Amino acid sequence: MLNLSGKNALVTGIANNRSIAWGIAQQLHKAGANLGITYLPDEKGKMEKKVAELVEPLNPSLFLPCNVENDEQIKSTFETISQKWGKIDILIHCLAFANRDDLTGDFSQTSRSGFNKALEVSTYSLVQLSGAAKPLMTEGGSIVTLTYLGAVRAIPNYNIMGVAKAGLEASVRYLAAELGQQNIRVNGISAGPIRTLASSAVGGILDMIHHVEQVAPLRRTVTQLEVGNTAAFLCSDLASGITGQILYVDAGYEIMGMCAIR
Ligand code: 0WE
């Protein structure tokens, strides 16, 4: 059985009740994990309040601000983990950002600053958080990140995020190769499109979801809780032989071709 009791799990990327990270946090909690939650702080503290209220039923033992563009915040996050937990077993990375105007129009017009921003927040952050977690994963561990098919196919408007996710998937392999010696496994979940805060801001997301409902083998999209179950599996001993992989949790969409003909 899937059992995460005695495991300390840090979950990043919860913004609201539609976040994939929220689906993951709920399933890790259900499996018995002890949770630490990070949120992206804003000036007014609105995000802190909102996320704190949401996660309260999961009784997190840590609740910390962590903006990955701020080295100090990352340092203090892992200092607190070291003091309060002593060790960390699970790291969930559900962070991505690109400028809105880089998620539409011509990819060739992506600015240097927009390119760097997307790769810093969406790609480098996995490397950075994994490096910070490594010395605290003293009993082995599991790192899970979220990716998307746009890493390996050219998906309309995904643009710079596709490049960022391609780098993220390669980072999964390089981290897995390094951290395996310490019995730390690193995997990615490639989720199908889901309505979240991030995706709702994208023009045409409803058309994309409709398309998936027409052509995916399961004739539907996936839910945050299904992604959460896969994350819980990857973090459990049931997945002890799996590392460096990208698992598609997409109702089978990725295997299909000739989608217009049925
Ligand atoms: O990875 C993602 C979301 C990425 C994302 C979305 C936004 C929207 C608002 C990153 N940064 C921002 N910045 C914003 O200001 N997905 C897999 C969801 C997604 O995003 C798309 C998609 C899909 C699917 C963007 C274009 C086309 C398809």
Side-chain angles (χ1 to χ4, degrees), residues 44-193:
K44 291 179 179 168
K46 278 177 113 177
M47 200 60 147
E48 174 175 7
K49 189 164 176 282
K50 200 164 108 181
V51 178
E53 279 173 16
L54 178 67
V55 303
E56 202 210 39
L58 309 185
N59 309 310
S61 58
L62 290 178
F63 183 72
L64 303 165
C66 190
N67 177 347
V68 291
E69 290 182 289
N70 182 335
D71 286 333
E72 284 301 309
Q73 257 172 34
I74 293 184
K75 199 165 156 248
S76 100
T77 294
F78 284 89
E79 273 170 12
T80 307
I81 290 173
S82 173
Q83 284 163 18
K84 298 269 169 74
W85 285 356
K87 59 135 192 177
I88 177 171
D89 306 284
I90 293 166
L91 172 64
I92 305 293
H93 174 271
C94 296
L95 308 171
F97 182 80
N99 293 324
R100 240 182 130 147
D101 40 307
D102 289 329
L103 293 173
T104 182
D106 292 339
F107 174 64
S108 64
Q109 300 309 303
T110 306
S111 66
R112 184 192 301 269
S113 65
F115 188 106
N116 289 343
K117 172 91 173 175
L119 270 91
E120 181 183 355
V121 177
S122 315
T123 312
Y124 180 66
S125 61
L126 175 70
V127 180
Q128 186 182 30
L129 293 177
S130 299
K134 179 180 178 180
L136 297 176
M137 285 191 162
T138 47
E139 295 173 16
S142 176
I143 299 173
V144 174
T145 187
L146 266 289
T147 183
Y148 180 59
L149 184 61
V152 293
R153 310 261 180 85
I155 290 186
N157 299 319
Y158 200 60
N159 294 8
I160 186 57
M161 275 308 305
V163 175
K165 292 299 194 188
L168 184 77
E169 293 186 5
S171 300
V172 165
R173 292 184 283 274
Y174 281 96
L175 289 168
E178 173 192 335
L179 300 176
Q181 278 86 79
Q182 213 178 293
N183 197 29
I184 300 169
R185 297 178 294 102
V186 187
N187 294 288
I189 297 174
S190 188

